[in-house]
Amino acid sequence: MRYRTLGRTGLQVSELGLGGLFVSRFGSEREQASAAIHRALELGVNWIDTAPGYHDSEEVLGLALAGVDQPYYVSTKLGGRPQPFDPRDKAALRRSVEESLRLLRRDHIDVLIVHEPDRPGQYDWWDDWESFHGPVRELLEELKQEGTISFSGLGGTTAYEMPRIMATGAYDVVLTAFNYSLLWREAAIAVLPEAERQGMGVLLGSPLQQGALARRYDDEVEHGAPWLSPPRREQYRRLYRLLDEVEIPIAELALRFAVSDPRVSCVLMGARSAAEVEANVAAVEQGPLPPDLLARLQEIADGVPFRPFQEPFGLPFGRPYKGPGKAG
């Protein structure tokens, strides 16, 4: 396992981290989840990310990591707890932090992340959506001064709203998801450059696009998936032809692409078992992709430089899809 500096935090973090969503009742039984967590640590993973919204992930991690002597870092989030959730109730936000500490069985959080700061329809965090001031920002500073957290962060999925919040300079880390992978590159336009300007460490979520790049869907790409736009369908065909040529499994290619960018500090895997952890670590240990292959992948990505209108947020390969919801 290789390690990188997490921006201005100075922390040395493993290139591959463990995302907490699938080490929960959403993804696995507790015994299987615990085995995945322990195997990740054994293989050199030292970053674990979770959130109150990830079902019982914090509790599972707290139980699995009890008594572990090996050094590791944990990030968790603010958002969605307690219910009914008021993102501008500072006292309630502090109670959420206290609950995270209890569940994680820790007295300290390495990075506390504001969850979905860029989607007011989900969490309306800010009193002022121009300067991005709000009680959560005040609380994060208080928690830093108290020593309850070491660093603060932002965790979102938008390509152009997030950089405006990052530009305040008030946060140390950004977790960006669903927008930087083999076929989706919009984070490269503004998110990653702003992270560089601010000296922020970058955690990359969903390098496999929630399964859309975890395995091949040849039959659906050729004969099904009516929700695929014509350019996205052709893009998949081109990617699959390249995979046949280079003889690299799609998940390995996607993970190696993610670690090929030096601006990315840590790539979060959604492994739910020890076997999946081992496969992901083995892929990353193959190292970054060579420049000529990265150039060919860029050509394929350029075929769909922006997410097509109406494209489902999580591509529903292998499951029914009725169409988009209400017009916004």
Side-chain angles (χ1 to χ4, degrees):
M1 182 63 67
R2 290 174 293 270
Y3 298 84
R4 300 183 181 187
T5 303
L6 185 66
R8 68 190 187 206
T9 72
L11 300 177
Q12 296 301 301
V13 300
S14 50
E15 285 185 330
L16 193 63
L18 181 64
L21 176 59
F22 291 101
V23 286
S24 72
R25 63 174 176 267
F26 178 75
S28 55
E29 299 294 332
R30 289 201 170 186
E31 183 176 349
Q32 178 178 300
S34 181
I37 295 162
H38 292 154
R39 189 62 179 140
L41 292 174
E42 290 169 1
L43 293 174
V45 171
N46 74 350
W47 191 274
I48 301 173
D49 175 73
T50 185
Y54 296 169
H55 306 279
D56 58 346
S57 174
E58 287 183 323
E59 182 179 7
V60 171
L61 286 164
L63 291 168
L65 295 169
V68 170
D69 295 327
Q70 183 176 339
Y72 61 90
Y73 301 109
V74 170
S75 54
T76 191
K77 303 179 184 73
L78 285 167
R81 186 180 64 203
Q83 288 291 334
F85 182 61
D86 180 354
R88 281 180 271 179
D89 182 340
K90 191 163 77 169
L93 295 178
R94 181 176 283 274
R95 290 197 297 274
S96 180
V97 176
E98 293 167 352
E99 180 67 357
S100 289
L101 292 169
R102 183 186 72 81
L103 292 170
L104 290 167
R105 303 188 177 200
R106 293 168 63 95
D107 59 10
H108 172 264
I109 294 168
D110 297 296
V111 178
L112 185 60
I113 295 171
V114 183
H115 210 173
E116 309 292 1
D118 47 343
R119 293 183 181 273
Q122 185 165 351
Y123 299 136
D124 194 5
W125 287 105
W126 313 111
D127 292 329
D128 180 348
W129 280 84
E130 293 298 321
S131 63
F132 302 102
H133 279 291
V136 67
R137 191 158 152 184
E138 298 168 9
L139 176 63
L140 289 170
E141 288 305 314
E142 291 174 10
L143 293 170
K144 276 188 181 181
Q145 293 171 9
E146 296 166 10
T148 302
I149 68 172
S150 294
F151 303 102
S152 64
L154 302 166
T157 56
T158 60
Y160 311 110
E161 286 79 3
M162 278 286 287
R164 296 176 57 224
I165 310 173
M166 295 163 63
T168 63
Y171 304 91
D172 307 298
V173 174
V174 60
L175 194 169
T176 189
F178 307 117
N179 53 24
Y180 196 58
S181 64
L182 287 178
L183 302 184
W184 287 259
R185 304 286 183 93
E186 282 194 84
I189 297 172
V191 176
L192 296 181
E194 189 61 44
E196 279 195 297
R197 281 190 287 272
Q198 300 297 332
M200 299 175 76
V202 177
L203 304 174
L204 180 61
S206 197
L208 305 185
Q209 290 293 139
Q210 277 200 327
L213 298 171
R215 64 181 181 85
R216 293 177 61 152
Y217 301 91
D218 294 76
D219 187 60
E220 283 189 83
V221 167
E222 288 299 329
H223 308 295
W227 41 267
L228 273 179
S229 65
R232 184 71 83 194
R233 191 181 301 276
E234 180 56 28
Q235 187 186 49
Y236 261 96
R237 288 176 177 140
R238 292 181 65 190
L239 176 63
Y240 289 175
R241 288 195 295 268
L242 179 62
L243 290 169
D244 290 336
E245 178 184 337
V246 299
E247 297 182 331
I248 298 176
I250 187 170
E252 177 185 325
L253 191 73
L255 288 170
R256 291 177 65 188
F257 164 78
V259 300
S260 295
D261 193 324
R263 297 172 295 182
V264 174
S265 312
C266 179
V267 177
L268 299 175
M269 59 175 159
R272 65 191 78 198
S273 68
E276 290 184 2
V277 168
E278 291 169 356
N280 291 334
V281 171
V284 167
E285 285 180 343
Q286 296 299 309
L289 297 172
D292 61 331
L293 184 50
L294 286 171
R296 295 183 67 184
L297 287 168
Q298 184 66 58
E299 291 177 3
I300 294 172
D302 288 343
V304 190
F306 303 100
R307 185 183 291 275
F309 184 67
Q310 293 183 206
E311 180 173 274
F313 188 70
L315 272 63
F317 283 117
R319 60 185 189 273
Y321 176 71
K322 295 181 179 179
K326 296 180 180 179

